[in-house]
Amino acid sequence: MDQYVIKGGNPLVGEVEISGAKNAALGILPAAIMANESVVIDNLPNVCDINVMLQAIEGIGARVERLGPHKVKINGSTISSYDVEYEYIKKIRGSYYLLGALLGKYKYAQVALPGGCDIGSRPIDLHLKGFRQLGAEVEIAHGVIGAKAEELVGGAIYLDKASVGATINIMMAAVLAKGKTTIENAAKEPHVVDVANLLNSMGASIRGAGTDIIRIEGVARLHGTEYSVIPDQIEAGTFMCAAAATKGDVMVKNVIPKHLEAISAKLKEMGCEIEEFDDAVRVVSSKPLQCTQVATTYYPGFPTDMQPQIAAVLALAKGTSVVTESIFENRFRYADELNRMGANIKVESNVGIISGVNYYTGARVAAPDLRAGAALVIAGLAAEGFTTVDDIHYIERGYEDFEVKLAGLGAMIEKVSSEKEATKFVYKVS
Ligand code: UD1
């Protein structure tokens, strides 16, 4: 099994190019099959979850042509099956978007119940409620969700929680429905806007994406287009935190600084200097880090997907920080691992109390999930000595060339697949 071996202590310095947003792309690829013409998607991140989604799309008969490592042409006119049973699809969270896309286009879909990172209970009741309100019959049997309708008719849907997944899924089901749909208490995350923009460039009529109320006017069909995925807010935030923790100076390029405001604000409170450019953010961490409070919430609040990474930085800050997780209940599984590296984190229910320490000490740790895994890498980069991170397949689900990008900033990190390779790396950098 692959691992990262890290020799900590080098400040990260230089420039890093951020990839396209994984979570936006997971909605965009299913949306692209809704036309019977070619849709070209650019700036796709080359990560495992995206490749699984592309294979699933191919598996139901759509034509998928790779035009480059980050560019793909999809044509949904050849789809011959509306059952997504591809064995890996259930492992990714975004698999549920195929439900909205197929139901919207063919009024019939069968998709294995989604998996994804174990960060808490992840119900999809709001997605299903939305489909039902558009007139679909929905049932779950044998681990598969089935949805069908004679016709879908627009309606008024209120989401009890501003769920990203439910908002995108209902939007996809509604774009080809008859009449008007409104989604109230819609999620406002950047990826919701990105999927809406793609669908509009395919001929859909969606207004209000990025606000609490999304209004959709059903159209008869969607057409081909070319579209580029937005930059990944979470990948960018992760590099910002890595710069902060290692006392570095990093220019994070190809980002939308507005999407990073909540993260920038917290790093500033901790004593980092943040400089914003049109499509880049520079993080300089030259002063002692200070404690602060972080509470995750819906966009434009602090993202839950950045909670472990900022905690890895707060563990090195002077004083006691409090991190409150309000979206998912199981997001502190990195705490024990960071404590093994010398951190002092106590978790009570959905609150992490972090008493800052002066340094981490390298240790062997295991990534419990995608973002928690990234947090352990950040700690390893800042730590004294060597850290080995196991189970990096989680990290590879969402970070493109993570170790290559970090090495480009001066980090001493290598992906190894055997003890022999690990020992070789240790000799090389000692
Ligand atoms: C997406 C992201 C995930 C991110 C999360 C919040 C993808 C593939 N994943 O996950 O990385 O952490 O947004 O930004 O894009 N809920 C319900 N019923 C539902 C749906 C959600 O109760 O039907 C609850 C969830 O338990 C959670 C909250 O709503 O407490 C938000 O979840 P949601 O925004 O749907 O997250 P995901 O779409 O699963």
Side-chain angles (χ1 to χ4, degrees):
M1 285 300 246
D2 291 346
Q3 304 167 317
Y4 288 140
V5 189
I6 303 165
K7 184 180 182 211
N10 266 14
L12 297 192
V13 177
E15 296 182 351
V16 62
E17 199 71 41
I18 297 305
S19 300
K22 168 186 84 91
N23 286 348
L26 283 173
I28 279 174
L29 294 174
I33 65 170
M34 295 186 73
N36 280 333
E37 294 173 13
S38 293
V39 175
V40 175
I41 308 291
D42 204 354
N43 203 33
L44 268 185
N46 191 4
V47 295
C48 294
D49 276 16
I50 296 302
N51 294 323
V52 169
M53 180 62 89
L54 284 170
Q55 284 165 31
I57 286 173
E58 249 180 330
I60 54 172
R63 273 203 307 275
V64 174
E65 197 185 329
R66 282 274 187 188
L67 303 176
H70 303 110
K71 196 168 181 180
V72 74
K73 190 199 272 183
I74 294 175
N75 190 308
S77 65
T78 50
I79 289 176
S80 52
S81 159
Y82 317 135
D83 293 4
V84 185
E85 287 204 40
Y86 177 65
E87 60 176 304
Y88 295 117
I89 194 71
K90 54 180 177 287
K91 294 188 186 157
I92 67 169
R93 189 74 196 149
S95 59
Y96 50 42
Y97 291 135
L98 287 165
L99 207 57
L102 289 171
L103 178 67
K105 186 176 182 190
Y106 299 107
K107 319 293 175 241
Y108 183 92
Q110 299 253 18
V111 179
L113 271 167
C117 280
D118 180 12
I119 53 177
S121 103
R122 300 180 80 176
I124 54 162
D125 54 307
L126 298 173
H127 306 225
L128 308 187
K129 174 174 124 173
F131 297 153
R132 288 192 180 107
Q133 280 179 259
L134 297 174
E137 272 175 54
V138 183
E139 61 168 31
I140 299 178
H142 309 293
V144 173
I145 310 164
K148 61 180 179 187
E150 280 296 315
E151 72 170 353
L152 294 173
V153 181
I157 296 160
Y158 173 81
L159 297 181
D160 303 295
K161 287 185 181 175
S163 154
V164 172
T167 304
I168 293 178
N169 232 343
I170 296 166
M171 215 161 62
M172 288 200 285
V175 284
L176 295 174
K178 216 169 144 189
K180 290 183 183 157
T181 298
T182 54
I183 308 174
E184 283 194 58
N185 195 30
K188 295 180 285 210
E189 269 67 4
H191 32 306
V192 173
V193 180
D194 210 29
V195 178
N197 286 344
L198 164 80
L199 286 165
N200 282 342
S201 81
M202 293 166 70
S205 170
I206 304 172
R207 285 179 301 131
T211 74
D212 294 316
I213 304 183
I214 297 181
R215 294 188 167 83
I216 302 160
E217 178 93 46
V219 296
R221 70 189 61 78
L222 298 174
H223 54 70
T225 191
E226 289 206 16
Y227 195 80
S228 184
V229 178
I230 51 166
D232 198 306
Q233 171 203 25
I234 307 301
E235 188 197 9
T238 302
F239 279 95
M240 291 168 76
C241 285
T246 60
K247 301 266 151 234
D249 177 349
V250 175
M251 182 75 90
V252 184
K253 294 174 79 178
N254 183 34
V255 299
I256 299 174
K258 179 144 192 49
H259 294 169
L260 302 171
E261 276 172 0
I263 303 160
S264 298
K266 285 296 146 188
L267 291 176
K268 274 186 200 161
E269 284 172 27
M270 294 168 70
C272 296
E273 285 163 53
I274 311 280
E275 213 179 331
E276 283 185 9
F277 300 87
D278 285 349
D279 61 354
V281 168
R282 181 178 172 199
V283 180
V284 183
S285 173
S286 55
K287 299 186 201 125
L289 294 166
Q290 302 299 323
C291 60
T292 191
Q293 323 300 321
V294 175
T296 65
T297 183
Y298 301 103
Y299 186 83
F302 194 89
T304 173
D305 283 357
M306 278 303 302
Q307 190 258 94
Q309 302 90 313
I310 198 102
V313 190
L314 288 170
L316 295 173
K318 199 160 177 282
T320 303
S321 302
V322 178
V323 173
T324 309
E325 172 58 53
S326 50
I327 310 287
F328 294 111
E329 70 271 20
N330 205 7
R331 275 227 112 139
F332 284 104
R333 296 194 311 152
Y334 59 85
D336 286 344
E337 297 298 269
L338 287 186
N339 286 347
R340 297 181 63 237
M341 297 177 70
N344 184 352
I345 306 176
K346 289 192 184 69
V347 180
E348 284 171 18
S349 176
N350 66 330
V351 178
I353 298 154
I354 305 176
S355 306
V357 295
N358 290 332
Y359 52 88
Y360 285 114
T361 50
R364 183 160 185 167
V365 290
D369 60 63
L370 166 57
R371 306 303 172 186
L376 299 181
V377 172
I378 291 172
L381 294 169
E384 283 187 358
F386 286 92
T387 294
T388 303
V389 182
D390 286 320
D391 293 338
I392 62 167
H393 56 94
Y394 285 116
I395 301 173
E396 291 180 325
R397 293 176 61 158
Y399 290 92
E400 177 172 348
D401 292 337
F402 197 32
E403 76 285 5
V404 179
K405 290 186 186 185
L406 287 167
L409 294 169
M412 285 191 268
I413 179 169
E414 196 151 297
K415 181 162 114 178
V416 300
S417 47
S418 65
E419 281 300 320
K420 204 172 144 195
E421 279 178 28
T423 313
K424 214 168 128 189
F425 171 74
V426 171
Y427 274 124
K428 193 170 82 185
V429 298
S430 290

